[in-house]
């Protein structure tokens, strides 16, 4: 799981949190958390822009193929606006690398 928050418009950076999980026993298990700063502007990526334009928290939008920000692998993302107490607070997205989809389809 990747999260960018607390964007600083002065220095163009935000707080980066990367949580690592492993799948097993029919569940996912937390492994470790990395905290850092990043200049990755999440508001400029395709899934965020599509999620903002969605305006309907019940409608999922899909991106075209894009590069994952951490490792550059090609991926697809599904996104929708995150609305809390009738206020837009961000975009929730799930990205899946194409090589993982390929492995799944081969089984």
């Amino acid at each position: 799981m990747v999260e960018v928050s607390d964007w600083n418009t002065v220095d163009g950076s935000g707080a980066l949190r990367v949580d690592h999980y492993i799948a097993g026993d029919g569940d996912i298990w937390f492994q470790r958390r990395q905290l850092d700063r990043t200049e990755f502007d999440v508001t400029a990526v395709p899934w965020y822009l599509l999620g903002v334009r969605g305006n309907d928290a019940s409608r999922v939008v899909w991106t075209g193929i894009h590069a994952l920000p951490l490792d550059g692998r090609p991926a697809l993302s599904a996104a929708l606006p995150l609305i809390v107490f009738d206020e837009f607070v961000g975009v929730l997205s799930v990205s899946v690398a194409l090589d993982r989809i390929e492995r799944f389809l081969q089984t």
Side-chain angles (χ1 to χ4, degrees):
M1 194 273 311
V2 177
E3 176 184 299
V4 177
S5 61
D6 300 325
W7 192 257
N8 183 328
T9 56
V10 175
D11 71 1
S13 73
L16 173 66
R17 184 180 99 192
V18 180
D19 290 347
H20 297 265
Y21 296 86
I22 188 167
D25 300 326
D27 207 344
I28 59 171
W29 300 94
F30 177 77
Q31 296 296 297
R32 68 184 188 285
R33 174 170 290 159
Q34 293 172 251
L35 301 174
D36 207 345
R37 298 291 296 170
T38 185
E39 294 177 355
F40 175 71
D41 183 1
V42 69
T43 63
V45 296
W47 59 261
Y48 187 91
L49 295 170
L50 286 169
V52 167
R53 279 190 239 134
N55 291 328
D56 179 357
S58 66
R59 191 177 76 111
V60 174
V61 292
W62 287 89
T63 66
I65 297 171
H66 63 90
L68 289 173
L70 295 180
D71 62 16
R73 289 184 299 162
L76 294 171
S77 296
L80 69 157
L82 184 58
I83 310 293
V84 177
F85 300 116
D86 294 325
E87 184 176 326
F88 173 81
V89 295
V91 174
L92 179 65
S93 175
V94 174
S95 298
V96 181
L98 296 184
D99 62 338
R100 293 180 77 80
I101 294 172
E102 178 184 30
R103 274 184 285 176
F104 173 78
L105 292 175
Q106 289 175 347
T107 61

